[in-house]
Amino acid sequence: MENRTDNLETPKLVSFIIPCYHSAKTLPGVVEEIDKTMQELPQYRTQIIMVNDDPKDGTWGVIQKLCREKEGRDGICFARNFGQHAALMAGIRRAQGDILICLDDDGQTPACEAPELIAAIENGADAAYAKYEKKQHSGFRNFGSSVNEKMCEILLGKPKDLYVSSYFAMRRFVAEEVRRYENSYPYLLGLVLRSTSNIVNVPVHHRKRESGTSGYTLGKLFGLWMNGFTAFSIEPLRIATKMGAVFAFVSFIYGIYTIIKKIINPAVPMGFSAMMTAIIFFGGMLMLMVGLAGEYIGRTYISVNRAPQYVIRETAGAPQAGARAGGCGRETADAPAGGNGRQAVGTRGEEIRKDPEDLC
């Protein structure tokens, strides 16, 4: 008699990554919405990873409480503020899912529409970005986003018809490519764009912020742009070279014009103000170009010195069975069962988990 074994397919794991910054009031609602949404999709298992980017805030206590309430939740607490993209990198390295979904902690990115992103991945896309019909951000944030979109097209080669946002999903192989990035200035869009071109948009509603204000200031937005453009493109240097060539040509023509004008009409006085204006203008442009080159050199210096993307202070929760090896191309040990183990931290954002007793 022939023995037969039913081949039961293991449900796919979907990992939700939430970078948290001053979100003690809104985070429980986001987690609850994820749970309710995924209960309607029994063919998937769920992992929720919450990364606290400010240890001085009370958000970490909320994350620890959420991790104790239910399995499949993981918490990471940074030693200081490292930024949203560093938090995403930490979450991606911790994630074990076949599909990874990144969303905000303020409830503006509706977790109830995550199935739309999952469906886009299942239909063949490597990455899927939420496209909002109407953004509920302030005018300042909307302006910053539009500038970022245009600069990404010019400097990173983003397709014009592709809308990017902080709410997106990716396949496992894209996440594996992202987590290989070891330099000190991560920028998720640049990492995704260099991993695949099979990226789609999914229409999603954008909610109003329930409480608090955005943590992005003009300075932080500018720093984020610099991270992306200096880490993934040398186009700014090429633009500076082209501008230098254009200005040099214009000044040469202007010099010839001045000489001819003086020969034709010797009585024409040479303009001191015009000369000083030209000197100040070209001197400013020269300093700008030198500063841009210095920015590249400085970031290269910091990366060569292996400055970490982030430093983990402690974790909560325990990875699920079948956890994949850790990030940056080096294996890491899993956290002790029950979590809340403090961390000894390696370079490049690598996590080296130890029992609390081992750190004494």
Side-chain angles (χ1 to χ4, degrees), residues 44-179:
Y44 296 102
R45 296 176 294 130
T46 306
Q47 177 190 26
I48 301 176
I49 303 169
M50 298 159 281
V51 185
N52 184 36
D53 194 29
D54 187 0
K56 297 179 181 179
D57 181 58
T59 304
W60 179 238
V62 174
I63 293 175
Q64 289 177 309
K65 182 176 181 294
L66 291 170
C67 290
R68 289 193 297 267
E69 290 176 350
K70 190 175 182 180
E71 293 184 0
R73 296 176 181 176
D74 296 291
I76 298 174
C77 185
F78 284 172
R80 65 171 178 82
N81 177 240
F82 283 90
Q84 181 183 14
H85 287 247
L88 288 171
M89 290 294 290
I92 289 171
R93 291 197 175 102
R94 179 88 168 192
Q96 303 145 23
D98 303 283
I99 299 174
L100 285 72
I101 298 179
C102 302
L103 69 163
D104 293 340
D105 59 344
D106 53 15
Q108 287 191 274
T109 51
C112 63
E113 298 193 44
E116 304 297 328
L117 295 173
I118 296 174
I121 299 298
E122 296 287 24
N123 289 333
D126 294 334
Y129 280 86
K131 183 176 183 180
Y132 307 126
E133 297 177 0
K134 183 179 179 181
K135 296 185 69 175
Q136 300 295 335
H137 284 147
S138 64
F140 167 74
R141 280 292 305 276
N142 289 334
F143 171 74
S145 297
S146 61
V147 172
N148 183 64
E149 288 273 336
K150 184 57 65 175
M151 295 183 72
C152 284
E153 291 177 12
I154 297 173
L155 302 179
L156 298 182
K158 181 186 76 67
K160 291 184 178 181
D161 59 345
L162 175 64
Y163 179 90
V164 294
S165 64
S166 59
Y167 191 16
F168 62 96
M170 67 178 79
R171 287 184 182 273
R172 184 73 218 177
F173 89 88
V174 177
E176 292 293 342
E177 287 300 315
V178 168
R179 68 193 296 177

Side-chain angles (χ1 to χ4, degrees), residues 191-256:
L191 291 169
V192 173
L193 286 174
R194 79 176 189 178
S195 299
T196 181
S197 60
N198 185 16
I199 308 173
V200 300
N201 278 134
V202 175
V204 168
H205 294 92
H206 195 236
R207 297 170 177 164
K208 292 184 179 180
R209 179 182 286 270
E210 296 179 2
S211 64
T213 58
S214 172
Y216 274 110
T217 62
L218 180 61
K220 289 185 177 180
L221 284 175
F222 182 76
L224 179 62
W225 296 336
M226 289 298 293
N227 282 352
F229 307 144
T230 57
F232 297 95
S233 175
I234 61 171
E235 194 62 31
L237 291 176
R238 291 174 176 169
I239 292 175
T241 302
K242 293 175 184 177
M243 290 176 63
V246 170
F247 290 142
F249 178 76
V250 170
S251 63
F252 177 74
I253 298 298
Y254 182 76
I256 294 176

Side-chain angles (χ1 to χ4, degrees), residues 2 5 21-22 25 36-37 40 47 69 117 148 155 180 198 213 216 232 265 294 335 342 350:
E2 192 176 312
T5 303
Y21 184 79
H22 295 186
K25 295 180 179 180
K36 288 183 178 179
T37 300
E40 300 177 1
Q47 177 190 26
E69 290 176 350
L117 295 173
N148 183 64
L155 302 179
R180 282 159 49 91
N198 185 16
T213 58
Y216 274 110
F232 297 95
N265 186 5
R342 294 188 177 274
E350 181 183 2

